[in-house]
Amino acid sequence: GLDVCAADIQNAYLQAPSSRKDYIICGPEFGLENVGRVALIHRALYGGKTAGRDFRNHLRECMWHLGFSSCPADPDVWMRPALKSDGSEYYEYVLLYTDDALCVSENPERVLRNEIGRYFQLKESSIGPPKIYLGAHCRKIQLQNGMECWALSPSQYVQASVKNVEDYLKKQSERGEPGYKLPAKAE
């Protein structure tokens, strides 16, 4: 079967070249010999107008170079044909959402470390079987027929979302603002 491995891209936007020409005037943190000099910023910066686009374009170029194609149904899902160790054909998948990577492959850790890791520095402590991906708990389970598979449970994400709405409505009510009331919780 196939396995799953997760990783976080470290300082994701800073690893992408910037499409803008942003300049700074150097302060003492750039060395006394550079104080007052003008410097061009070569990397995308968090909060910059084009940082997200620049990172996405850089990511796309790297994935194409590795032989992956973006899925027409979801551009954050990348796939490529591969061969298992027994010679059978299958598809490897990499799910990339900003700096979160999830790989489904016969050897997903190798794909993350040796291929994607050539282009992006990965957070070492994040590489391994996924525990949470995009707010959903992940775990390997065994089906009644004995097969193992991965399961996702968004319960923690949903509970946190409901609490955020409840807190917002409570604050709104405390300020005397009209708003919606949540129905009573089911027993």
Side-chain angles (χ1 to χ4, degrees):
L2 301 181
D3 205 0
V4 178
C5 189
D8 289 339
I9 297 172
Q10 188 167 325
N11 300 322
Y13 286 1
L14 296 177
Q15 296 191 45
S18 177
S19 62
R20 293 174 46 104
K21 292 204 182 283
D22 291 316
Y23 299 88
I24 60 164
I25 297 174
C26 296
E29 63 274 15
F30 291 92
L32 294 177
E33 67 278 7
N34 293 314
V35 172
R37 295 181 77 182
V38 175
L40 175 64
I41 298 172
H42 291 278
R43 296 289 169 188
L45 296 175
Y46 284 98
K49 288 184 179 185
T50 62
R53 183 188 69 205
D54 290 345
F55 176 71
R56 177 80 181 153
N57 288 344
H58 182 58
L59 183 69
R60 184 180 64 228
E61 292 294 322
C62 294
M63 294 304 287
W64 282 343
H65 186 73
L66 292 171
F68 285 90
S69 299
S70 182
C71 176
D74 184 342
D76 293 326
V77 176
W78 296 84
M79 55 193 178
R80 72 175 176 193
L83 288 176
K84 288 186 177 180
S85 54
D86 67 4
S88 61
E89 297 176 342
Y90 76 107
Y91 274 88
E92 291 177 307
Y93 296 94
V94 177
L95 290 71
L96 292 167
Y97 187 77
T98 310
D99 62 349
D100 294 321
L102 191 71
C103 183
V104 180
S105 172
E106 186 176 50
N107 191 340
E109 188 172 341
R110 179 193 51 77
V111 173
L112 289 171
R113 286 184 185 278
N114 300 345
E115 296 186 58
I116 294 172
R118 284 193 320 219
Y119 294 98
F120 299 99
Q121 185 176 353
L122 304 176
K123 294 177 189 171
E124 184 61 36
S125 63
S126 72
I127 302 170
K131 294 175 185 71
I132 293 181
Y133 185 72
L134 301 182
H137 280 281
C138 306
R139 64 187 174 105
K140 199 179 257 191
I141 62 170
Q142 189 170 30
L143 300 175
Q144 289 179 350
N145 66 3
M147 289 191 71
E148 286 187 334
C149 67
W150 283 89
L152 295 173
S153 170
S155 64
Q156 181 181 359
Y157 174 81
V158 171
Q159 289 170 3
S161 297
V162 169
K163 183 176 179 345
N164 287 341
V165 170
E166 289 174 337
D167 291 347
Y168 171 77
L169 292 175
K170 182 179 177 186
K171 286 179 187 172
Q172 198 175 25
S173 175
E174 288 170 354
R175 291 191 301 250
E177 297 176 18
Y180 298 101
K181 289 189 176 185
L182 292 176
K185 289 185 180 179
E187 302 274 336

